Each structure stands twice: as C-alpha cells, then as structure tokens.
Amino acid sequence: MVTQPRIPCFKLNLKFGRDDMAKRFLASRRSGFYLRVLREGEVGPGDKIVRIHQDENKVSISDAMRVYLHEPNSNELARRALQVEYLSATWREKFRQTIYPHQQGASTSE
C-alpha cells in the first residue's frame, strides 16, 4: 500500500556529485513513494503488480507533492489527503500545517 511520497535528500546530491540535484529533482515534481506491506509474500522479476484498491479520496502521489510544495489552491487537496486512512503520521501533520499553520502539533478534527 502506498503511504507517502519519497522526497529526495542530500544523498542524491552526493550520488550525482552536484549540490543542486535534490532541488532539481524536487522541481521536476517526480517522486518515488514508500509502501507499507500488508501481507508478506514473494515478488520476483516479471511478476505483475496490480492495483486492487483506490482510496475513495483519490489523492495521488502527485497531488501530495502539490500540497507539500505549497502550490496554489492545494488546501482542498490537503483536506482530502487528511481523510486517507493509510497516510503516514508525518505527512498527515504536514498537511494539517498546510491548512492550519498556527496549530502546530495540534489535533484538529478531520
């Protein structure tokens, strides 16, 4: 299950030998993602990965990146993202801060 985007860090700069690589990668809006394993098993080369469920709030990794980068009109996306059951706690707090910037660490009703 996809739980959050993967944001590039300083290690990308080191890998490419460029001080601006993480920033450039972030500006491209292309992100990896983190997965949560719900049931252990084996996956091998050539195995198909098929989506079996889509959250009813329909928040994509691309949408989450728009909120993270504070793009215009992303508050509604943040509100929808807060309704996604499996969104990680860290990203949930980031999105709360987008909507409620003066309630740091506060639990708000969703």
Side-chain angles (χ1 to χ4, degrees):
M1 177 172 296
V2 176
T3 59
Q4 71 183 52
R6 181 173 181 186
I7 303 298
C9 68
F10 74 94
K11 292 178 184 177
L12 197 60
N13 294 347
L14 296 175
K15 172 82 174 159
F16 285 91
R18 295 180 60 137
D19 290 341
D20 66 342
M21 198 60 188
K23 184 177 179 179
R24 291 175 53 161
F25 191 84
L26 191 58
S28 77
R29 305 297 196 263
R30 300 183 76 122
S31 172
F33 48 86
Y34 286 102
L35 297 170
R36 176 179 294 161
V37 175
L38 299 178
R39 183 177 57 214
E40 286 188 40
E42 293 188 24
V43 178
D47 289 352
K48 291 184 179 181
I49 297 177
V50 179
R51 179 175 57 197
I52 59 172
H53 173 75
Q54 181 175 2
D55 184 84
E56 64 227 19
N57 296 291
K58 297 182 179 171
V59 178
S60 68
I61 291 296
S62 178
D63 291 337
M65 290 299 294
R66 288 178 35 212
V67 176
Y68 178 81
L69 296 169
H70 303 286
E71 290 187 359
N73 305 316
S74 61
N75 278 3
E76 181 54 36
L77 278 175
R79 284 185 183 87
R80 284 195 356 245
L82 286 172
Q83 301 303 313
V84 175
E85 180 181 359
Y86 292 103
L87 180 66
S88 72
T90 303
W91 280 75
R92 188 172 301 280
E93 186 57 30
K94 287 178 194 287
F95 292 165
R96 277 191 186 107
Q97 288 304 304
T98 296
I99 300 168
Y100 311 106
H102 303 296
Q103 296 181 359
Q104 202 162 26
S107 178
T108 57
S109 63
E110 298 172 35

